Amino acid sequence: MSNPPSRPARGPARGPARARRTRPAPPAGPDARGTELELEVGPVAHGGHCVARYEGRVVFVRHALPGERVVARVTEGAEGASFWRADAVRVLSADPDRVEPPCPVAAPGLCGGCDFQHVTPARQRALKAAVVAEQFRRLAHLDVEVTVEEAPLPGADGLRWRTRTQFAVDAEGRPGLRAHRSHQVVALQDCPISTEAVVGSGVLGARFGNVGTVEVAAGSDGAPPLVVVDPLPGTHAHVPKLPDASVAVRTPEGLHRVSGRTWVGERVDVQVGDTRREHVFRVGGAGFWQVHPAAPRLLGEAVLAALEPRAGEQALDLYAGVGLFTALLAEAVGPDGSVLAVEGEERAVRDARRSLHEHPQVELWAGSVEEALADDELAGRRTDLVVLDPPRSGAGRAVVEQIAALAPRAVAYVACDPAALARDTAFLAQHGYRLDGLRAFDLFPMTHHVECVARFVR
Ligand SMILES: C[S@@+](CC[C@H](N)C(=O)[O-])C[C@H]1O[C@@H](n2cnc3c(N)ncnc32)[C@H](O)[C@@H]1O
């Protein structure tokens, strides 16, 4: 894998308490919301904003770039707040990487879906690389060199890649996206980062009744997209006719089919060794699947490169979803090996069972990863390889300790939050697992999100 860490940044993750220099707290100020400030913008930070200072107080500024001079309007800064948030509303000196946002609602006070539409795609990747490196320095005490790799896109630079989009519905029944850190819905006619198929579902521009959210998922098998409607609690949803989509309504009992299918079909073409093979998956309802069309292949190949599975090895796929990595590992370890997949969502496990029935070396467990790892049967097995792909919050200390107790020779950690990954890297280090490679992929262009695959060895 590329980009190995170069050296520890600041000694052990745990150690004797050291005196820390602290800045004096800024005086508790009056309510600053709506105030316009002239700011010198500092470095990018995790979360899609840059850091600036105003009279000693930290201000997180959106719609800006490091080094710019901007006028920023305070959006959060109630009386006594220790830090403020602000939007750059005028640029006094612009960075050369600043561009006109391609989407008309990617602007202060409007849609909060994208963070970096005002930045060239190459610079977006550089900003994300800086954030990943900073999280590792701060939370894992490691200096890592990070390059965020570009992913092939179906559309123009940074656009038309999102195959799954959840739209909120406003009081008039119009779908859109929420403003940043707000309940306010900005009704949309288009979402330029969503694929043509998602937009072609006809959801945008339609009117819903008694609906909180509408999620559109467009699979790669060419079938019409699936629209999953979430009624407002205790109400009966009114769903308009959507002739170009399958439609289902989520109820407490499960998905109620209105038209077409209640699932999405995905095809992934992955190179394992010398063989390129297509894998087919079924993803029920609004179940988890990567949102960038290139993600399953890129992440699958990165996981295989990180683990270097050998025929006959025994692997564990934690947080397995519908079995993307399970299928690839099953192929790689072959019929003499085994893969145990653990997933919390019953429906995802049922989908995995359908897609993976031709691999007798695969075993699927429905339930929590924490409980599976505490199971005596699992503890008694030989585990050579572990892949884990937890939700945003990461795996956490207890899961990391349980994985280390199994003593796998290699661990591949797929992470959508670099802060959680860096924190878990420190836990893994405490249990004898060293970061031996880190790749980062730009699977969420125009947003601050970034996907990482880390390799750990004993
Ligand atoms: C980021 S997704 C990864 C899915 C899969 N690896 C993939 O690439 O498609 C995380 C998955 O973990 C599952 N999950 C979340 N918390 C869990 C837990 N504590 N135990 C088991 N599964 C969990 C979710 O249902 C979801 O399918």
Side-chain angles (χ1 to χ4, degrees):
M1 299 193 80
S2 59
N3 305 324
S6 47
R7 65 183 163 78
R10 271 176 277 139
R14 271 182 177 170
R18 273 180 288 172
R20 272 197 284 153
R21 277 192 17 213
T22 53
R23 290 171 191 272
D31 191 333
R33 286 172 287 187
T35 313
E36 292 197 351
L37 318 168
E38 201 172 308
L39 297 173
E40 197 81 61
V41 180
V44 66
H46 189 22
H49 44 237
C50 296
V51 185
R53 286 192 176 271
Y54 184 77
E55 295 178 351
R57 179 176 274 97
V58 167
V59 187
F60 295 118
V61 195
R62 278 169 63 80
H63 306 282
L65 269 167
E68 287 187 333
R69 225 181 143 64
V70 301
V71 173
R73 187 177 302 131
V74 178
T75 51
E76 290 179 44
E79 195 178 331
S82 57
F83 64 87
W84 295 344
R85 294 180 190 275
D87 284 341
V89 289
R90 280 196 301 288
V91 182
L92 304 178
S93 80
D95 186 280
D97 289 328
R98 176 175 278 277
V99 292
E100 192 58 36
C103 176
V105 292
L110 298 176
C111 179
C114 292
D115 312 290
F116 290 149
Q117 288 231 1
H118 61 289
V119 186
T120 59
R123 183 68 182 280
Q124 292 181 29
R125 293 193 289 278
L127 293 175
K128 295 180 198 197
V131 167
V132 175
E134 205 251 335
Q135 296 307 307
F136 272 84
R137 210 164 25 248
R138 206 165 61 79
L139 298 168
H141 307 288
L142 286 173
D143 274 338
V144 292
E145 282 169 29
V146 187
T147 305
V148 174
E149 300 173 39
E150 190 177 357
L153 286 168
D157 263 5
L159 303 177
R160 300 286 176 224
W161 53 270
R162 210 179 164 101
T163 62
R164 283 155 168 78
T165 310
Q166 189 180 50
F167 298 104
V169 177
D170 74 6
E172 275 81 56
R174 298 169 306 180
L177 289 168
R178 293 190 196 282
H180 183 61
R181 293 173 61 82
S182 162
H183 292 297
Q184 189 206 328
V185 177
V186 179
L188 299 174
Q189 294 296 322
D190 186 13
C191 170
I193 64 166
S194 296
T195 59
E196 299 284 359
V198 167
V199 177
S201 67
V203 154
L204 298 176
R207 290 281 182 126
F208 291 78
N210 295 332
V211 169
T213 61
V214 177
E215 192 165 350
V216 187
S220 53
D221 67 350
L226 171 64
V227 174
V228 176
V229 175
D230 268 302
L232 291 170
T235 67
H236 188 76
H238 165 72
V239 183
K241 288 221 174 331
L242 297 168
D244 297 321
S246 290
V247 180
V249 176
R250 205 189 314 265
T251 70
E253 292 75 45
L255 283 189
H256 166 72
R257 191 181 80 88
V258 176
S259 64
R261 311 189 306 197
T262 57
W263 53 276
V264 169
E266 297 286 356
R267 294 174 182 277
V268 186
D269 212 13
V270 170
Q271 185 90 22
V272 182
D274 296 335
T275 334
R276 177 160 283 282
R277 193 169 157 212
E278 186 184 68
H279 296 261
V280 179
F281 298 90
R282 177 185 168 117
V283 188
F288 181 86
W289 187 255
Q290 287 285 345
V291 299
H292 191 295
R297 179 179 64 77
L298 286 176
L299 297 177
E301 290 177 354
V303 163
L304 292 176
L307 294 179
E308 299 174 314
R310 301 167 199 150
E313 284 196 312
Q314 302 197 169
L316 197 51
D317 181 5
L318 302 177
Y319 311 94
V322 299
L324 169 65
F325 303 130
T326 311
L328 307 183
L329 284 169
E331 192 101 328
V333 299
D336 295 333
S338 72
V339 187
L340 171 57
V342 183
E343 163 59 38
E345 284 281 338
E346 295 267 359
R347 167 121 202 201
V349 178
R350 284 205 299 277
D351 287 336
R353 193 155 284 131
R354 278 175 188 272
S355 311
L356 299 169
H357 61 87
E358 72 193 64
H359 295 295
Q361 67 273 44
V362 168
E363 202 180 328
L364 301 167
W365 285 13
S368 85
V369 163
E370 295 78 355
E371 283 174 26
L373 288 171
D375 191 287
D376 289 342
E377 194 198 324
L378 179 52
R381 291 183 185 203
R382 191 188 89 221
T383 301
D384 302 305
L385 307 168
V386 173
V387 52
L388 73 161
D389 183 8
R392 276 194 82 66
S393 51
R397 185 191 286 277
V399 166
V400 163
E401 281 174 4
Q402 288 168 306
I403 291 172
L406 298 173
R409 76 166 170 80
V411 175
Y413 190 139
V414 182
C416 59
D417 183 0
L421 172 62
R423 180 206 61 197
D424 288 344
T425 297
F427 295 151
L428 278 157
Q430 287 164 19
H431 291 87
Y433 279 85
R434 170 174 65 82
L435 179 67
D436 186 46
L438 175 66
R439 290 178 71 184
F441 299 93
D442 194 12
L443 297 179
F444 310 93
M446 302 295 184
T447 78
H448 74 274
H449 296 285
V450 56
E451 193 83 14
C452 295
V453 179
R455 163 182 157 91
F456 296 89
V457 289
R458 265 197 297 167

